[in-house]
Amino acid sequence: MDDRGAMAEALIQARTAAAHDDVPVGAVVVAPDGRIVGRGHNRREIDGDPTAHAEVLALREAAAHQGTWRLDGHTLVVTLEPCIMCAGALLAARIPRLVIGAWDEKAGATGSQWEVVRDARLGSQVEVVSGIGANESAALLRAFFENRRGSSRS
């Protein structure tokens, strides 16, 4: 599966998060052979778990599917740039490649605010590909937060 196809799957996950009134972020993990082996969407609200970010859930599913926590050669595809926690999880899983939809100008840890995944002190150099599905990802987030602001005024 190519990056655009994987991002389409991540966007489906993001829409699922929005349906559960959570920030619409979706992620998939793609194995070296192109198969999706992990899927996740934000579940913080529904699970009451502050660590239930899309990336973490997709990584957990991929590790369970592959039978190992080492996801060498895999790609993480996510609709919104990962935060510090998720960037750390991606490094812990040994993911060498990250595909991002929209940048997170407030809390992004893979290029916008911080460079966690390319910090030489950590000894890893994750390839970061940005802009795949950026417009769709940003539109989902914008609509979600506009709706939230509108309902808080009522």
Side-chain angles (χ1 to χ4, degrees):
M1 174 169 293
D2 68 3
D3 292 345
R4 291 200 184 285
M7 184 58 75
E9 291 293 321
L11 284 161
I12 290 168
Q13 292 296 311
R15 289 183 194 96
T16 302
H20 295 296
D21 201 31
D22 213 323
V23 177
V25 178
V28 297
V29 177
V30 181
D33 66 5
R35 291 175 302 122
I36 292 178
V37 294
R39 289 178 170 80
H41 58 272
N42 276 1
R43 293 184 53 94
R44 293 176 310 166
E45 298 297 333
I46 201 165
D47 291 352
D49 178 355
T51 68
H53 288 208
E55 301 95 323
V56 170
L57 299 175
L59 290 169
R60 286 178 185 160
E61 185 175 287
H65 184 272
Q66 300 297 82
T68 181
W69 60 270
R70 289 181 175 270
L71 299 174
D72 301 294
H74 290 64
T75 298
L76 176 64
V77 179
V78 62
T79 60
L80 180 65
E81 179 186 7
C83 68
I84 291 173
M85 176 184 70
C86 293
L90 138 70
L91 290 174
R94 309 293 197 268
I95 297 277
R97 188 167 183 271
L98 171 67
V99 176
I100 299 169
W103 289 105
D104 185 344
E105 298 299 329
K106 289 183 185 176
T110 62
S112 64
Q113 290 299 314
W114 297 281
E115 283 278 359
V116 173
V117 299
R118 292 183 285 215
D119 189 322
R121 294 168 296 182
L122 298 174
S124 58
Q125 291 291 314
V126 174
E127 176 190 359
V128 177
V129 178
S130 62
I132 307 294
N135 292 337
E136 299 91 335
S137 297
L140 272 175
L141 289 159
R142 200 169 28 259
F144 177 81
F145 286 112
E146 284 173 0
N147 185 43
R148 278 218 133 136
R149 283 190 293 275
S151 51
S152 68
R153 288 186 216 133
S154 305

